[in-house]
Amino acid sequence: MRRAGPILIAVIGLAALVVDVVPGVRVPWGDPNGGWRLVETKLGLDLQGGLRVEYQALPAGGRQPGPSDLDVIRDIIERRVNAIGVAEPVVVTQGTDRVVLEIPGVSDPDAVRKLVGQTGKLEFVPIQGNCPTTIQQGMTLDLSVCPPLFGGEQIASANLGTDQVGQRAVDFTLKGEGARLFADYTTKNVGKQFAIVLDNVVISAPVIRQPITGGQGQITGGGAGFTLAEATNLVTVLRYGSLPFPIREVSVEQVAPTLGDQFLRQSLLAAAIGITLVFIFMLVHYRLPGFVAGLALLYYALLVLAIFRLIPVTLTLAGIAGFVLSVGMAVDANILIFERSKEEMRAGKSLTAAIEAGFSRAWNSILDSNVSSLITAFILFWFGSSVIRGFALVLMIGVLVSMFTAITVTRTILRFVVARDWARRGEPLRRLDGGVRCPPNRPAGSRGGAGPCLTSSGSGAGSTPSRSSSRSPA
């Protein structure tokens, strides 16, 4: 493992560097259209600007929407927008019947508005009685004339699929009651037409060829099939349910960045200054070990930025604050390790043995501290709003990566350094020896301006430091 460790660290570092600085890198996930997504840094609405849409919830069935209904509408809209790859949407309720949606950096605002604005009420409608004799895709159906058998609330799951000729379709599974009703109807009406209706518009009108008793079915898109966007939107609507009330788009506007490019540059400059000051402090206080911790900190920054771009994480001002906070936590782990190594050297261990023991014995404290931070961040992510969840996600990523860099990267570099003769002979590591080395012309234990000094009976693992008193015997 010790041989593979440096290679693994180098490979991960090079991959992170490529993701961070090489333009045009693409990955096979995260594209709502199913292609390869361009890796880029995504900025939030406060830094980049975007789209702001205001909706009004309309009465339905003689009922007026209440506060709890607005909360349901808000949650469904947020889930729909997140499902198509638009991160960090801000969805809030206003007044008694308004919901406001703010989306950063939207490339296709019309598609988002279409997805969000539809009620998403799915109905399974038998074609019988006073219904039209022939039903075609795209027709508007009067559900008071053709009452539905059951609605979309009976769908347990929905996924993208393909039909018998290889065109895109949507596969669905029904819950118990829906499966029973569907099996009973299809058994008694083989050869008849059956309509699947979304917001009163027929999206599929298949002929029942055989009884469907397994509770599973498929929605096809007609002769041309669904486009990928249509199929994805339908799956999203089916998964997250229909809105309890229809909504009407009241206003649409492009939002300018509330902070802008200048504030973003200032925030990044502040983060860079903070990292630099931490680097200087570690260098002054711990010398060469502090320099190694600084290298691990730079490695940490490259790796975290690469992860942000790969997921992708939408960076807002709160997210940048979470990143800077995690930098301080990453250095805290190195301080615990170095101080523990000092204690081991005072106990008589050699430099190599003290460093290994410092890492091993500081691990429990580092683990407990980081697990506590992860629990807090998880609670924020689970219960917080979109902006708070962005901060919590950045913090969780930072904590996890800092554990890797503080333990693995710093340890690997220090192992390489302490194996060098120049590191053992010189002063770069003296900050870890727990005291001040005795000059050649100064007896061990004598007191000067710097306090007592240490000497060793040997340089191996079993060497024991001796400390003599500066007092003369009585």
Side-chain angles (χ1 to χ4, degrees), residues 75-144:
D75 293 340
I76 292 175
I77 289 177
E78 186 170 357
R79 289 196 295 265
R80 286 182 181 180
V81 175
N82 281 328
I84 60 175
V86 179
E88 294 275 356
V90 178
V91 187
V92 295
T93 59
Q94 283 188 355
T96 58
D97 62 350
R98 302 295 175 96
V99 177
V100 177
L101 168 66
E102 295 179 344
I103 312 173
V106 180
S107 58
D108 190 358
D110 292 336
V112 176
R113 291 164 58 192
K114 181 180 178 181
L115 172 63
V116 172
Q118 64 182 357
T119 304
K121 189 171 183 59
L122 190 76
E123 306 283 1
F124 291 77
V125 182
I127 306 304
Q128 58 186 0
N130 296 325
C131 294
T133 56
T134 303
I135 302 297
Q136 296 179 350
Q137 185 181 7
M139 287 180 56
T140 300
L141 205 59
D142 187 353
L143 298 184
S144 62

Side-chain angles (χ1 to χ4, degrees), residues 33 160-163 166-170 219-222 224-229 231:
N33 295 322
L160 291 176
T162 54
D163 59 17
Q167 294 178 332
R168 291 188 184 91
V170 175
I219 304 174
T220 59
F226 289 121
T227 65
L228 180 60

Side-chain angles (χ1 to χ4, degrees), residues 263-337:
F263 197 92
L264 174 61
R265 288 193 296 269
Q266 292 174 348
S267 300
L268 295 178
L269 176 62
I273 291 174
I275 293 175
T276 303
L277 291 177
V278 170
F279 190 98
I280 293 173
F281 168 79
M282 296 294 291
L283 187 62
V284 171
H285 193 70
Y286 292 106
R287 299 293 178 87
L288 186 56
F291 179 75
V292 171
L295 293 180
L297 194 61
L298 295 178
Y299 185 96
Y300 162 84
L302 287 175
L303 186 55
V304 168
L305 179 58
I307 293 174
F308 288 169
R309 290 163 64 88
L310 287 173
I311 289 180
V313 174
T314 301
L315 283 179
T316 61
L317 182 61
I320 295 176
F323 169 71
V324 176
L325 177 62
S326 65
V327 169
M329 298 174 68
V331 175
D332 179 65
N334 287 126
I335 292 175
L336 286 174
I337 292 168

Side-chain angles (χ1 to χ4, degrees), residues 196-232:
I196 300 175
V197 179
L198 180 65
D199 293 341
N200 294 343
V201 177
V202 177
I203 60 174
S204 183
V207 175
I208 301 172
R209 303 296 182 187
Q210 59 186 6
I212 303 175
T213 58
Q216 296 180 338
Q218 186 178 76
I219 304 174
T220 59
F226 289 121
T227 65
L228 180 60
E230 290 172 343
T232 302

Side-chain angles (χ1 to χ4, degrees), residues 63 109 143 148 263 308 324 337 341 371 393 395 429 452:
R63 290 182 57 232
L143 298 184
F263 197 92
F308 288 169
V324 176
I337 292 168
S341 298
V371 167
L393 178 60
L395 184 59
L429 292 168

